[in-house]
Amino acid sequence: MKSSFKDIINSDIPVLIDFYADWCGPCKMLAPILKQVKDERGDAVKVVKIDVDKNPSVASKFQVRGVPTMLLFKNGKQLWRQSGVLQKNDIVGVIKSHS
């Protein structure tokens, strides 16, 4: 069963959305960092990757102009947004501040 984007972000734990593209170099650098974030935070965060080329309507809805762009949601509300590559500790810090 495929969840809708709205269902995914309507969570009481933080949901980190990573808008990426297969052709994007910085996106490839961010992928292992996000895996480390997930490994460290475990069930305290959901990490969802969205390919902007396959999901242009979602990318457009959130005005994603460049990739990678990360958005943090909780209970359906956008709490944070950042474009570009961040280090694991920076991302974990943001998630903790909104947990």
Side-chain angles (χ1 to χ4, degrees), residues 1-17 46-48 50 58 61-62 73-77:
M1 187 181 99
K2 192 169 189 248
S3 302
S4 76
F5 188 79
K6 192 172 178 198
D7 293 335
I8 292 168
I9 63 172
N10 250 326
S11 170
D12 56 0
I13 65 167
V15 180
L16 183 67
I17 307 290
K46 286 184 192 169
V47 177
V48 179
I50 296 183
V58 177
K61 180 178 178 193
F62 291 98
F73 291 89
K74 189 173 177 183
N75 299 318
K77 291 189 175 64

Side-chain angles (χ1 to χ4, degrees), residues 29-38 85-89 91:
M29 290 168 42
L30 186 60
I33 296 170
L34 291 177
K35 185 182 182 318
Q36 291 171 358
V37 168
K38 179 63 180 160
V85 177
L86 291 179
Q87 294 310 308
K88 177 185 74 109
N89 290 344
I91 299 169

Side-chain angles (χ1 to χ4, degrees), residues 43-75:
D43 292 338
V45 67
K46 286 184 192 169
V47 177
V48 179
K49 295 177 73 63
I50 296 183
D51 185 332
V52 294
D53 293 329
K54 293 182 180 148
N55 300 281
S57 61
V58 177
S60 170
K61 180 178 178 193
F62 291 98
Q63 285 129 21
V64 174
R65 306 261 182 265
V67 286
T69 295
M70 292 176 282
L71 281 73
L72 186 69
F73 291 89
K74 189 173 177 183
N75 299 318

